[in-house]
């Protein structure tokens, strides 16, 4: 098995190997600076279907189960809980979809940019050949987003976006609220079936008995399917945050070349600080653009200089420093 120093030598590249003359910065699109949105037909269709299914569940719960109920307290409490969960789920889905997941500046591997780094012999930088960008640590290229994404976990068509360091919180909240709303709907369907069996079917719903049964069975199937799917995804995402290992890194069985954070620090970075109600709000951000540990390094040799990249807003700041030994290598 190759030693770390051998692995560093194997991936060494000099600036002239980056072929910067082939990298042309893309035209400036001010609209993309305001709203992040992936123009993918499959992803847009999946996102529309997601919203449709939530509104379908809303329709069945309100007009088939709660409004015809004679128990006002039962209808009021369950209506508030269900609508609150639905609102938080839709808010989380929207934030996960329109939040930049941590895209690396596209086309920045230009001659001028590389010269501005003032690289010295022995240093290494990494260029993505697909989006022509200097690739930071733990970034992977997404063929759908056509960008390198920092700490990319996977591309999810249901939110029409990648799940990366900037929007993983919103994706986790989306899966959590969908699983909760699915469980709540299943419980209400069970109680409503019992109520209809005890009472006259013509009085337990505003619709005819056959229509009521069909609507409830469809809702039951939808709730069970999404409960299982989102609960598994929620557990997987929380595990990724706590172990500081993305889904891609786990799938590729990559050896950690970065200093892993503790489970609690990972949760604080992903959810925006110490534990508070804002953890459960899709309208509060994360700490990934604020913490000092959000720095990527790449270097070779002893007492060599390294290039570090740090994301501040939508601008990548490149700094030059010194380090002992072989630093973290970038995939």
């Amino acid at each position: 098995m190759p030693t770390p120093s051998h692995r560093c030598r194997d991936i060494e590249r000099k600036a002239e190997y980056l072929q910067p003359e082939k990298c042309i910065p893309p035209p400036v699109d001010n609209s993309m600076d305001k709203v992040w949105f992936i123009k993918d037909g499959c992803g847009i269709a999946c996102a529309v279907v997601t919203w449709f299914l939530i509104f379908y569940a809303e329709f069945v719960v309100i007009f088939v189960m709660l409004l015809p109920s004679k128990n006002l307290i039962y209808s009021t409490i369950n209506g508030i809980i269900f609508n609150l969960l639905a609102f938080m789920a839709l808010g989380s889905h929207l934030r996960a979809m329109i939040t930049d997941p941590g895209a690396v500046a596209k086309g920045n591997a230009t001659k001028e940019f590389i010269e501005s780094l003032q690289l010295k012999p022995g240093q290494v930088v990494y260029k993505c050949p697909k989006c022509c960008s200097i690739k930071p640590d733990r970034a992977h290229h997404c063929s759908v987003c056509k960008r390198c994404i920092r700490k990319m976990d996977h591309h999810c068509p249901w939110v029409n976006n990648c799940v990366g360091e900037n929007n993983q919180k919103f994706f986790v909240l989306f899966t959590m609220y969908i699983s909760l709303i699915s469980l709540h709907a299943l419980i209400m369907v069970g109680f409503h079936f019992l109520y209809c069996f005890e009472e006259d079917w013509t009085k337990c719903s505003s619709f005819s008995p056959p229509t009521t049964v069909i609507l409830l069975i469809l809702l039951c199937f939808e709730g069970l399917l999404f409960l299982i799917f989102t609960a598994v995804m929620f557990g997987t995402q929380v595990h990724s945050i706590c172990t500081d290992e993305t889904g891609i890194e786990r799938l590729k069985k990559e050896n950690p070349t970065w200093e892993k954070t503790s489970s609690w620090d990972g949760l604080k970075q992903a959810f925006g600080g110490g534990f508070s109600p804002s953890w459960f709000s899709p309208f509060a951000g994360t700490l990934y653009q604020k913490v000092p540990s959000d720095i990527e390094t790449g270097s070779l040799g002893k007492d060599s200089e390294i290039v570090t990249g740090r994301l501040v807003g939508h601008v990548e700041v490149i700094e030059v420093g010194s380090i002992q030994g072989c630093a973290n290598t970038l995939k």
Side-chain angles (χ1 to χ4, degrees):
M1 184 174 182
T3 63
S5 60
H6 288 157
R7 182 171 58 184
C8 287
R9 285 196 292 270
D10 290 341
I11 60 174
E12 180 178 2
R13 298 182 180 92
K14 295 182 180 180
E16 56 263 28
Y17 296 153
L18 294 174
Q19 297 178 319
E21 66 277 359
K22 295 184 179 181
C23 292
I24 302 175
V28 178
D29 186 358
N30 294 329
S31 62
M32 291 302 294
D33 295 335
K34 299 177 182 178
V35 177
W36 174 273
F37 185 77
I38 304 301
K39 297 177 182 179
D40 175 58
C42 178
I44 295 174
C46 289
V48 171
V49 169
T50 300
W51 280 60
F52 170 79
L53 292 175
I54 294 177
F55 284 122
Y56 171 78
E58 181 84 16
F59 169 78
V60 176
V61 168
I62 298 299
F63 293 98
V64 177
M65 293 190 288
L66 295 184
L67 288 182
S69 176
K70 298 178 182 178
N71 192 329
L72 182 60
I73 297 178
Y74 171 85
S75 298
T76 302
I77 294 177
N78 283 282
I80 292 175
I81 294 175
F82 188 87
N83 281 280
L84 179 61
L85 292 175
F87 174 75
M88 298 299 281
L90 291 173
S92 301
H93 183 273
L94 185 63
R95 287 299 303 274
M97 183 169 56
I98 66 173
T99 298
D100 182 345
V104 179
K106 189 175 183 179
N108 66 353
T110 60
K111 181 179 180 180
E112 293 76 16
F113 182 79
I114 296 175
E115 289 178 349
S116 69
L117 299 180
Q118 299 180 351
L119 300 175
K120 296 182 179 180
Q123 290 186 269
V124 291
V125 290
Y126 300 85
K127 186 201 77 170
C128 175
K130 298 178 180 179
C131 59
C132 211
S133 63
I134 300 298
K135 197 173 183 180
D137 192 13
R138 305 184 70 183
H140 293 83
H141 185 85
C142 174
S143 58
V144 179
C145 297
K146 296 180 175 58
R147 300 286 289 274
C148 282
I149 307 297
R150 296 170 182 266
K151 290 187 70 175
M152 175 182 170
D153 187 89
H154 68 287
H155 183 92
C156 179
W158 296 104
V159 298
N160 189 34
N161 202 0
C162 274
V163 177
E165 67 177 20
N166 289 347
N167 69 341
Q168 189 173 30
K169 169 189 175 178
F170 309 129
F171 183 75
V172 171
L173 291 181
F174 169 67
T175 57
M176 183 185 72
Y177 286 123
I178 289 295
S179 60
L180 290 176
I181 198 175
S182 299
L183 178 61
H184 188 212
L186 287 173
I187 293 174
M188 285 191 292
V189 168
F191 278 114
H192 197 73
F193 267 121
L194 292 176
Y195 171 71
C196 289
F197 280 127
E198 293 176 355
E199 298 289 335
D200 187 356
W201 276 86
T202 58
K203 296 180 180 180
C204 71
S205 174
S206 302
F207 299 88
S208 64
T211 302
T212 301
V213 172
I214 293 175
L215 292 174
L216 292 178
I217 290 178
L218 290 176
L219 178 61
C220 187
F221 177 77
E222 174 193 342
L224 184 62
L225 181 65
F226 276 87
L227 173 61
I228 296 174
F229 176 74
T230 55
V232 171
M233 288 301 300
F234 172 76
T236 302
Q237 291 299 303
V238 173
H239 178 265
S240 295
I241 295 174
C242 291
T243 58
D244 194 17
E245 186 178 32
T246 66
I248 290 181
E249 292 164 349
R250 186 165 55 251
L251 182 65
K252 292 183 176 181
K253 297 181 180 180
E254 297 181 357
N255 294 322
T257 58
W258 60 93
E259 183 178 354
K260 286 192 174 185
T261 60
S262 65
S263 298
W264 183 242
D265 288 338
L267 290 171
K268 288 195 295 184
Q269 288 182 7
F271 288 93
F275 182 78
S276 68
S278 65
W279 275 30
F280 306 98
S281 171
F283 308 105
T286 67
L287 291 182
Y288 276 114
Q289 296 182 356
K290 301 177 183 179
V291 294
S293 60
D294 186 25
I295 297 175
E296 291 74 28
T297 62
S299 178
L300 279 179
K302 188 175 181 180
D303 298 327
S304 62
E305 293 188 348
I306 60 170
V307 176
T308 62
R310 179 165 52 89
L311 186 65
V312 180
H314 292 285
V315 180
E316 183 157 5
V317 179
I318 304 296
E319 301 171 351
V320 177
S322 62
I323 190 170
Q324 297 285 339
C326 180
N328 295 338
T329 58
L330 310 184
K331 300 298 180 185

